Amino acid sequence: MRTIVLTGGGSAGHVMANLALVPSLRERDWNVVYIGSRQGIERQLTQNLDIQYEAVATGKLRRYWDVENLKDPFRVLKGVAQSYKLLRRHRPAVIFSKGGFVALPVVVAAKFLRIPVILHEADLTLGLANRLALPFAAKVAVTFPETAAHLPPAKAVYTGLPLRKEVFSGSRTKLLATYQFSPQCPILLVTGGSLGAQNINQAIWRQLAQLTARFQIIHLCGKEKTNGSLQAMPGYIQMEYAQDEMPHLLAMSDVVISRAGSNTIFELLVMKKPNILVPLPASKSRGDQLLNAQLFASHGYSVVVEDEKLPSTDLSALVDRVYRQRAVYIDEMKKAAVPDGVEAVMQLISEYANAAGV
């Protein structure tokens, strides 16, 4: 049985594409090992999937001064040594890395052992960890065709984004009774990601009366960010985060308000969901969500509201406009040629495994 090492973490987005590959890997008789950090979200998301998990030391990118920044290079070096030992033990044919700083020690160690590394970049531009890992990689699979223009031609491969099969199996009616929602009234889904987005939450709460006059709302507020005073409001459901329920929430929604992480926006695209994107501002990120959102808006898939402008935006009127014009957005999304990211990445993995004679 061939072994593959999946790595990547620090955020749910760096993990979900890895997990989307697991069913296909198992169908093709691959042994899957996941290398991540000791306390990262990647460990939480893989713990119920019967995947062998190995932990290594890792640094962290902080966009602010912290004394821990001085220690991070030593953590990375320790992680490289740990990864080297793990890779020698497991002897994988291929490494597939989704990025994040936990992946960097694994990628560096793989180069010493001459194990081919396939990176995947979910966003329009390479994140810092992937930029640092680029010299050690055989190929870089990209989500957006535009990304390839910024990479060495011999390394870039347009695969699209591996999406979980569960995304396509949601039921529009499964949760209606659970939430006591009417099938005749449109549903607005609001999500700020696994950690939530307080600016989005506050914008919804400020205009909740106007919004619930027109829509039923499912609001994913983020961990410990729900508003206890609104728990009993009719037509309004708060949750911290959704995982197993998410395909059903997407299927039943008519309009979505969301951050602009690549996993989320591609799920909205394949599900043909009219949406309003509120990308993380450059002050809180490297600006990748701004670029993702601008690209989707330019194709007519999304409406974009800058995070800083949320307090002055008539969100209720904007949601209503997007809903009334939903057919226009859906038609544009139907024109999109979205590749099967799982199959494209699997072909790349097989190519390198076969070349190595494994």
Side-chain angles (χ1 to χ4, degrees), residues 168-306:
F168 305 95
S169 63
S171 167
R172 181 172 175 84
T173 59
K174 185 176 179 65
L175 298 177
L176 285 176
T178 302
Y179 299 146
Q180 298 182 333
F181 278 2
S182 166
Q184 280 75 48
C185 183
I187 295 172
L188 168 67
L189 173 65
V190 182
T191 174
S194 58
L195 299 178
Q198 200 59 22
N199 276 6
I200 295 177
N201 293 348
Q202 294 294 338
I204 294 296
W205 293 332
R206 277 194 300 271
Q207 300 186 40
L208 195 56
Q210 299 97 307
L211 286 164
T212 52
R214 183 77 173 88
F215 296 90
Q216 301 168 113
I217 302 174
I218 302 164
H219 187 177
L220 308 182
C221 303
K223 188 176 182 180
E224 299 178 357
K225 291 186 172 70
T226 57
N227 188 332
S229 66
L230 301 172
Q231 294 287 17
M233 186 166 186
Y236 176 69
I237 300 294
Q238 292 183 96
M239 301 165 62
E240 288 191 348
Y241 180 60
Q243 189 168 338
D244 294 342
E245 304 98 327
M246 197 63 186
H248 305 301
L249 298 182
L250 279 173
M252 69 193 293
S253 62
D254 298 287
V255 181
V256 179
I257 297 176
S258 173
R259 287 301 195 194
S262 58
N263 284 276
T264 299
I265 63 176
F266 267 84
E267 289 181 359
L268 297 177
L269 177 59
V270 298
M271 293 295 291
K272 311 293 186 294
K273 295 296 174 179
N275 60 86
I276 298 166
L277 300 180
V278 186
L280 276 171
S283 60
K284 296 181 180 179
S285 70
R286 65 181 180 86
D288 51 302
Q289 290 200 13
L290 289 165
L291 295 174
N292 294 347
Q294 289 164 6
L295 182 65
F296 265 47
S298 71
H299 286 301
Y301 308 152
S302 309
V303 173
V304 178
V305 177
E306 294 178 19

Side-chain angles (χ1 to χ4, degrees), residues 19-61:
L19 300 187
L21 297 174
V22 171
S24 292
L25 287 166
R26 285 178 168 160
E27 287 170 6
R28 301 177 201 197
D29 205 30
W30 281 86
N31 174 48
V32 180
V33 177
Y34 203 110
I35 299 182
S37 62
R38 287 182 173 82
Q39 304 296 331
I41 192 171
E42 61 273 14
R43 184 161 209 157
Q44 300 170 34
L45 293 174
T46 57
Q47 64 185 358
N48 296 322
L49 297 178
D50 193 28
I51 294 174
Q52 184 169 354
Y53 189 91
E54 304 279 10
V56 298
T58 180
K60 179 180 179 181
L61 174 62

Side-chain angles (χ1 to χ4, degrees), residues 30-101:
W30 281 86
N31 174 48
V32 180
V33 177
Y34 203 110
I35 299 182
S37 62
R38 287 182 173 82
Q39 304 296 331
I41 192 171
E42 61 273 14
R43 184 161 209 157
Q44 300 170 34
L45 293 174
T46 57
Q47 64 185 358
N48 296 322
L49 297 178
D50 193 28
I51 294 174
Q52 184 169 354
Y53 189 91
E54 304 279 10
V56 298
T58 180
K60 179 180 179 181
L61 174 62
R62 300 174 184 86
R63 292 178 172 84
Y64 53 87
W65 162 248
D66 192 297
V67 69
E68 294 297 313
N69 293 343
L70 300 176
K71 302 177 183 178
D72 282 341
F74 300 100
R75 293 191 180 106
V76 172
L77 289 174
K78 182 179 179 181
V80 171
Q82 292 171 330
S83 299
Y84 185 90
K85 291 179 181 178
L86 289 171
L87 296 180
R88 286 197 67 182
R89 186 203 311 164
H90 290 292
R91 302 179 66 83
V94 183
I95 310 288
F96 182 76
S97 170
K98 258 315 270 113
F101 265 74

